[in-house]
Amino acid sequence: MLETTDTKTQLLDCADDLIQRVGVNAMSYNDLSVAVGIRKASIHYHFPKKDDLVQALLARCSDAASQKYKSVARSDASVREKLDTLVGLYNSTLQNDKACSISMLSVEYQTQSETVKQSLDAAIKNTTSIYEEIFAQGKKEGLFAKAFDTHNAAFALYGFLIGTQILTRPLAERTIFLKAAKSYIDSLFR
Amino acid sequence: MLETTDTKTQLLDCADDLIQRVGVNAMSYNDLSVAVGIRKASIHYHFPKKDDLVQALLARCSDAASQKYKSVARSDASVREKLDTLVGLYNSTLQNDKACSISMLSVEYQTQSETVKQSLDAAIKNTTSIYEEIFAQGKKEGLFAKAFDTHNAAFALYGFLIGTQILTRPLAERTIFLKAAKSYIDSLFR
DNA sequence: TGTTAGAAACCTACTAGTTGGTAGGTAGGG
DNA sequence: CCCTACCTACCAACTAGTAGGTTTCTAACA
């Protein structure tokens, strides 16, 4: 029982990595089998259908993201620091040639099963509501220049982060992400 | 010589539509053949390789977008009106269950040919520079709350637009796009 | 004007490779 | 002994792409 990591987790790890790089539709069970070092058919033992894999992956990454974002939003840091930390998280995945799994799946939304679609909807709403906590704090502390609705502001930030991430990936000059983020966040404060 | 639309254009139209809905990798020559009403093999007459199709499509939509955005940026409207018009453009494609072709292609960037990659890079830079014109005008007129770099601000806006578009598509409640956009744009002005 | 050469735009019929998925067998540990 | 976790060996469906035949429009020409 001294296994490094159990196969199911390895599969999810590799699938997640592949999806963040090329998307769900470009990731095949064959790619996965090579990455994990297991025969293609054996993956079906753990995840009978590809949809099962995607569902499990989405559930896992949704939970992980939720936890990560909550720990940022509910820390004792300042609003500015919290937003900067969030930007840092997106920047590090970007610098690894990846993009947020949820945004990758959102793009390929129409090709997914009904279950995955619903989970995606929930995941987006969940993340938005966590980001909203940060804006609620900032609003309470009177830090912002405009009296915006916190929900709209949170969704706007979320969209901004995944959007600039997606647009930056094709560019050679990747420092633009952090610069744009600074520009965006600066404009929020009074 | 009273053809409605020539086949090559029809192919590009349908391919564009499909890509905006499901992405490049989920769009097949078979899907296209059904949509256009031509046999699958005949598509190869117009576009020998799928990559040829994507290249032609990207070139066309890049030009079209460039022209459209320029006409917005160089009109005699106010900065606020220009930004709102831009938001309106993205909103209308969103309400048709679509997303900007360039952002769809950017997500599937890693699976594309070197030529397409370069064109994408160019297209993103081009759009950014057009948006920058609007910010330059606003800066000159002293409309903004913060003294940001116009290039960073333009890229931020671009990322915001495609990002919120992607995030809104999976949601049933699609009015959030316009609300988030208003929230963002409001925060830019003094 | 009628004939014909040719090319443009399609077609049928095929290929090789890849996809997700299945059937059924096997090694090894509790 | 049986269950977990793999394996080999398949399959049908689909992928992009090719070969080669047919129609049809056009342009040249006697």
Side-chain angles (χ1 to χ4, degrees):
Chain A
M1 193 68 95
L2 58 138
E3 35 180 355
T4 7
T5 324
D6 97 286
T7 311
K8 203 162 185 169
T9 310
Q10 273 187 66
L11 284 168
L12 287 173
D13 287 342
C14 288
D16 203 18
D17 189 85
L18 281 167
I19 287 178
Q20 288 185 289
R21 291 179 197 280
V22 300
V24 214
N25 292 323
M27 176 212 68
S28 71
Y29 265 35
N30 198 42
D31 297 334
L32 252 184
S33 79
V34 172
V36 177
I38 208 182
R39 288 295 132 119
K40 195 194 66 169
S42 308
I43 305 177
H44 287 279
Y45 168 77
H46 299 280
F47 303 102
K49 313 274 155 149
K50 197 182 178 184
D51 192 59
D52 298 323
L53 203 233
V54 178
Q55 276 180 45
L57 187 121
L58 183 50
R60 197 186 69 149
C61 99
S62 185
D63 284 354
S66 183
Q67 206 181 339
K68 198 157 50 178
Y69 297 150
K70 272 180 187 164
S71 84
V72 174
R74 296 172 188 176
S75 75
D76 56 359
S78 72
V79 169
R80 178 80 209 204
E81 281 165 349
K82 286 176 183 178
L83 293 175
D84 285 342
T85 307
L86 235 42
V87 169
L89 287 174
Y90 282 85
N91 185 54
S92 71
T93 65
L94 170 65
Q95 301 304 331
N96 287 321
D97 287 306
K98 301 199 220 173
C100 157
S101 307
I102 289 175
S103 68
M104 293 298 284
L105 284 164
S106 289
V107 167
E108 301 177 274
Y109 177 77
Q110 312 261 31
T111 64
Q112 298 304 305
S113 72
E114 218 46 54
T115 325
V116 170
K117 283 183 178 176
Q118 285 172 20
S119 304
L120 257 179
D121 177 280
I124 293 170
K125 283 175 179 161
N126 185 252
T127 300
T128 307
S129 73
I130 299 172
Y131 290 177
E132 192 175 351
E133 294 179 18
I134 304 178
F135 283 100
Q137 181 191 347
K139 193 174 185 175
K140 208 176 78 181
E141 296 175 0
L143 301 174
F144 298 130
K146 300 280 164 124
F148 45 53
D149 176 78
T150 55
H151 185 258
N152 296 340
F155 189 79
L157 173 72
Y158 192 11
F160 165 81
L161 289 171
I162 68 126
T164 42
Q165 198 176 55
I166 288 166
L167 281 187
T168 306
R169 227 163 28 132
L171 302 179
E173 214 274 278
R174 298 235 175 118
T175 59
I176 186 73
F177 178 82
L178 286 179
K179 288 192 227 160
K182 191 183 178 323
S183 173
Y184 182 82
I185 293 178
D186 276 347
S187 66
L188 295 173
F189 290 86
R190 61 186 316 172
Chain B
M1 193 70 95
L2 59 139
E3 36 180 356
T4 5
T5 324
D6 97 285
T7 311
K8 203 161 184 171
T9 310
Q10 273 188 66
L11 284 168
L12 287 173
D13 286 342
C14 288
D16 203 17
D17 189 86
L18 281 168
I19 287 179
Q20 288 185 289
R21 291 178 197 280
V22 301
V24 214
N25 291 325
M27 177 211 67
S28 71
Y29 266 34
N30 197 42
D31 297 334
L32 251 184
S33 78
V34 172
V36 176
I38 208 183
R39 289 295 134 119
K40 195 196 66 171
S42 307
I43 305 178
H44 287 280
Y45 169 76
H46 299 281
F47 303 102
K49 313 273 154 149
K50 198 182 179 183
D51 192 59
D52 298 324
L53 205 231
V54 178
Q55 277 180 45
L57 187 120
L58 183 49
R60 197 186 69 149
C61 100
S62 186
D63 283 354
S66 184
Q67 206 181 339
K68 198 157 52 177
Y69 297 149
K70 272 181 188 165
S71 85
V72 173
R74 296 170 188 178
S75 75
D76 57 359
S78 71
V79 170
R80 177 80 208 205
E81 282 166 347
K82 287 177 182 178
L83 292 174
D84 285 341
T85 307
L86 235 41
V87 169
L89 287 174
Y90 282 84
N91 186 53
S92 71
T93 66
L94 171 64
Q95 302 303 332
N96 288 321
D97 289 305
K98 301 199 220 173
C100 157
S101 307
I102 289 174
S103 67
M104 294 297 285
L105 284 164
S106 289
V107 167
E108 302 176 276
Y109 177 76
Q110 312 261 31
T111 64
Q112 298 304 306
S113 72
E114 218 47 53
T115 325
V116 169
K117 283 183 179 178
Q118 285 172 19
S119 304
L120 257 178
D121 177 279
I124 293 171
K125 283 175 181 162
N126 185 252
T127 300
T128 306
S129 74
I130 299 172
Y131 291 177
E132 193 174 350
E133 293 179 18
I134 304 179
F135 283 100
Q137 181 192 348
K139 193 173 186 176
K140 208 176 77 181
E141 294 174 2
L143 301 174
F144 299 130
K146 300 280 165 123
F148 45 56
D149 176 79
T150 55
H151 186 257
N152 295 341
F155 191 78
L157 173 72
Y158 193 11
F160 166 84
L161 289 170
I162 68 125
T164 43
Q165 197 177 53
I166 287 166
L167 282 187
T168 306
R169 226 162 31 131
L171 304 178
E173 214 274 279
R174 299 233 176 120
T175 59
I176 186 73
F177 178 80
L178 287 179
K179 288 193 230 160
K182 191 185 176 323
S183 173
Y184 173 56
I185 293 179
D186 276 348
S187 68
L188 294 173
F189 290 87
R190 59 186 318 171

